[in-house]
Amino acid sequence: MSELTISPKNGKLPAAVSTLADAIEADGGVALAAYQEPIGDHWHLFAMLPIALVQPTPYQRDLSPAHLKRMIEVMKKIDRFTEPIVVVRSADLYWTPNGTIAAPPR
């Protein structure tokens, strides 16, 4: 695993987070930073993932036309992809509730 930026700086990275970072890199992605949120002390990883491995959850609902239209308008205006993607690793894929936006067609 490459060196992660960790916040808080004095935080002790759990083994499960290091294991996930290693898995991300083995999948062709890059783990960038680990963050321990202050309320529940849960750890999160910020990473660049191979888009081919990002898929909608099996429970994904259809993307609303109104939401898609607004997103496209904003993305064209600011010339950036604006939708944050939260994923959960499942087997050899990364599931996201944003799958109909972020994932390539199956």
Side-chain angles (χ1 to χ4, degrees):
M1 169 181 69
S2 60
E3 181 137 353
L4 291 173
T5 298
I6 298 174
S7 179
K9 291 193 182 287
N10 62 348
K12 173 139 174 54
L13 197 63
V17 176
S18 295
T19 299
L20 178 56
D22 289 340
I24 288 169
E25 292 188 10
D27 289 339
V30 179
L32 303 170
Y35 166 71
Q36 186 179 27
E37 54 90 4
I39 296 174
D41 292 331
H42 303 285
W43 283 88
H44 302 272
L45 274 177
F46 295 89
M48 302 291 290
L49 299 173
I51 195 68
L53 297 181
V54 176
Q55 297 294 324
T57 67
Y59 319 104
Q60 184 70 46
R61 63 181 179 193
D62 291 336
L63 176 64
S64 93
H67 183 72
L68 179 61
K69 180 179 182 272
R70 285 188 195 118
M71 281 182 36
I72 290 171
E73 289 169 358
V74 170
M75 285 188 269
K76 284 181 179 179
K77 183 177 179 180
I78 65 172
D79 195 31
R80 294 207 186 317
F81 185 78
T82 59
E83 216 38 38
I85 300 173
V86 175
V87 300
V88 174
R89 192 162 197 276
S90 176
D92 292 331
L93 294 174
Y94 298 89
W95 282 352
T96 179
N98 302 76
T100 55
I101 299 166
R106 294 186 205 192

